[in-house]
Amino acid sequence: MAIPFIDLKAQQDRLRTEIEAGIHNVLAHGQYIMGPQVAQFEQKLAKFGDSRFALGCANGTDALLLPMMAWGIGPGDAVFCPSFTFCATAETIALMGATPVFVDMERDTYNISPSSLERAIKETISAGKLRPRCVIAVDLFGQCADYEALAPIVGEYGLKLIADSAQGFGTSLNGKQPGHWADVTTASFFPAKPLGCYGDGGAVLCDDEELTKIMASLCNHGKGSDRYDNIRIGFNSRLDTMQAAILLPKLAVFADEIERRNKIAARYIEGLKRHVLRVPTVRAGVVSTWAQFTIEVPDPEGFAKILKEDGIPTARYYPKPVHMQSAYVDYPVQGNGLPNTMACVDKVISLPMHAYLDEDTQDRIIEMAKKALG
Ligand SMILES: *Cc1c(COP(=O)(O)O)cnc(C)c1O
């Protein structure tokens, strides 16, 4: 029997009654855009995220654009981000007309390296061409970045800090979520993310009321007091009512799902730690959402092929870091090379991970992985 990489069906079976009731409710009232479920979800999301405000938007990419638009980030501005991430992190910086400056990662957590960040800021200042404005840290694979180390650097240089928590929404360090340190936290509800809907969706969370108002206007064509009063150039990026209705019951079980994912990750680590080059490292005090369970092996392509024959899917995040992608090769790179990033890209591979992976299936994956490694 083939194993799904992410089993959306198992979660659906658990929540079927609530999700179908939510969908029928929206069909009955017909307010497909900005219906009551959007505000209900935003309120619950803010509470879950330990933030004063949460604002739904169309996807996790727009969620990154919104704060940068609100802050007027544009040509001549440097925005620092890791290269070992999904391309949307850097793409949004370039879309703003600003310059992404690629920063190395920590070898063990895959998250942005605070020391490489500080060097990148200094290099940018001495080159004298760009003005440092903002840092986008990514909670990669579900683990929050090292915000305790990032916050003082960001503070010293007067930069804004965005937590790209598309994969890590719900992660925490010593009980505090990224928004404790970041000006804005962004989330994606793409179906395969830990908190996913049944289409596209996203959100921004922050504690700043004025900023939230500006972002709410921006994602609604720059509207002022009513929709025919346009006070700024915005765009259309709203969270659909239908998706909000689907997300409400999913959010209600999300804390439980994060716990389940952590149990599964612990079993994987125990089963594989003596057989692979690396199992994931989670820093002390961190709770990861385990968007991905990523290991390192000598030959990931060969490993994937063997597992595939046994009906076990794998995925490679990310074989080619963003600074090596053809659309991004001309942007600045800290130190002209990112050694930690380059050291992992030809080894990383991710195993099936979701909250409903049962122990038998997990044991089968562990056994097959061990066999594939010889
Ligand atoms: C998925 C993802 C995004 C983009 O989210 P979408 O909802 O797909 O637009 C941004 N950043 C990271 C790190 C992601 O994993």
Side-chain angles (χ1 to χ4, degrees):
M1 191 190 64
I3 296 169
F5 189 70
I6 292 175
D7 190 348
L8 297 175
K9 193 73 178 29
Q11 183 202 46
Q12 201 177 88
D13 290 342
R14 174 178 182 184
L15 298 173
R16 184 168 312 281
T17 314
E18 294 90 330
I19 289 173
E20 287 186 355
I23 292 170
H24 284 293
N25 192 344
V26 177
L27 290 176
H29 68 51
Q31 295 176 59
Y32 303 113
I33 303 294
M34 301 306 266
Q37 282 80 4
V38 175
Q40 279 169 31
F41 174 67
E42 287 172 340
Q43 227 172 47
K44 294 218 153 72
L45 190 74
K47 190 156 184 285
F48 188 98
D50 220 359
S51 277
R52 284 184 67 207
F53 307 100
L55 174 72
C57 63
N59 54 66
T61 306
D62 288 357
L64 291 167
L65 286 174
L66 282 166
M68 288 195 277
M69 288 172 86
W71 294 325
I73 285 174
D77 291 337
V79 179
F80 303 87
C81 70
S83 174
F84 195 61
T85 177
F86 180 59
C87 67
T89 312
E91 179 184 47
T92 54
I93 301 166
L95 272 176
M96 296 303 304
T99 301
V101 178
F102 291 107
V103 174
D104 208 357
M105 62 171 213
E106 305 252 61
R107 187 64 186 89
D108 54 353
T109 63
Y110 306 111
N111 277 328
I112 188 168
S113 151
S115 59
S116 174
L117 171 66
E118 184 148 36
R119 285 196 293 275
I121 297 169
K122 286 182 175 154
E123 288 167 11
T124 303
I125 292 169
S126 45
K129 292 203 184 78
L130 299 168
R131 188 165 58 124
R133 286 290 304 277
C134 182
V135 175
I136 306 182
V138 178
D139 301 324
L140 201 78
F141 301 152
Q143 166 161 222
C144 66
D146 188 357
Y147 292 103
E148 279 184 331
L150 295 172
I153 300 169
V154 164
E156 184 180 340
Y157 294 95
L159 311 181
K160 299 286 188 194
L161 178 59
I162 298 174
D164 177 350
S165 217
Q167 300 177 14
F169 181 71
T171 184
S172 60
L173 167 63
N174 298 326
K176 294 187 182 97
Q177 295 184 55
H180 178 79
W181 297 275
D183 296 288
V184 172
T185 302
T186 68
S188 163
F189 308 125
F190 180 81
K193 310 277 173 168
L195 180 61
C197 59
Y198 293 147
D200 277 311
V204 284
L205 291 87
C206 75
D207 291 334
D208 182 335
E209 188 166 15
E210 188 53 32
L211 177 61
T212 305
K213 277 191 188 149
I214 295 170
M215 292 192 291
S217 160
L218 283 168
C219 69
N220 221 329
H221 299 294
K223 86 176 171 72
S225 52
D226 68 66
R227 82 171 98 159
Y228 300 112
D229 173 34
N230 306 107
I231 56 172
R232 55 176 65 83
I233 306 293
F235 64 138
N236 174 4
S237 181
R238 297 173 295 236
L239 178 65
D240 290 353
T241 312
M242 199 66 93
Q243 300 304 341
I246 289 161
L247 282 161
L248 276 162
K250 288 192 177 213
L251 183 60
V253 299
F254 189 43
D256 170 65
E257 290 183 343
I258 293 174
E259 251 182 71
R260 288 171 179 242
R261 284 170 179 269
N262 275 280
K263 289 201 181 105
I264 293 161
R267 286 185 93 248
Y268 263 147
I269 289 173
E270 194 47 42
L272 293 169
K273 65 184 180 194
R274 279 175 297 273
H275 304 274
V276 298
L277 297 178
R278 251 174 215 274
V279 287
T281 305
V282 178
R283 292 200 338 275
V286 169
V287 175
S288 174
T289 62
W290 294 103
Q292 302 298 342
F293 185 89
T294 303
I295 55 174
E296 292 184 27
V297 299
D299 171 22
E301 296 296 340
F303 179 77
K305 214 170 139 234
I306 298 172
L307 287 193
K308 195 174 167 207
E309 283 162 11
D310 290 319
I312 298 168
T314 54
R316 298 211 54 214
Y317 307 106
Y318 297 90
K320 198 177 191 184
V322 187
H323 77 286
M324 306 287 284
Q325 301 282 350
S326 56
Y328 296 89
V329 289
D330 293 331
Y331 291 116
V333 171
Q334 192 272 310
N336 295 320
L338 307 177
N340 286 346
T341 300
M342 296 318 288
C344 84
V345 289
D346 60 351
K347 300 187 187 75
V348 282
I349 189 155
S350 306
L351 297 177
M353 169 53 89
H354 58 85
Y356 304 93
L357 192 64
D358 62 63
E359 293 195 352
D360 287 346
T361 309
Q362 218 193 343
D363 289 341
R364 195 178 131 203
I365 295 167
I366 292 169
E367 285 319 307
M368 291 302 176
K370 284 202 272 198
K371 214 178 84 190
L373 290 160

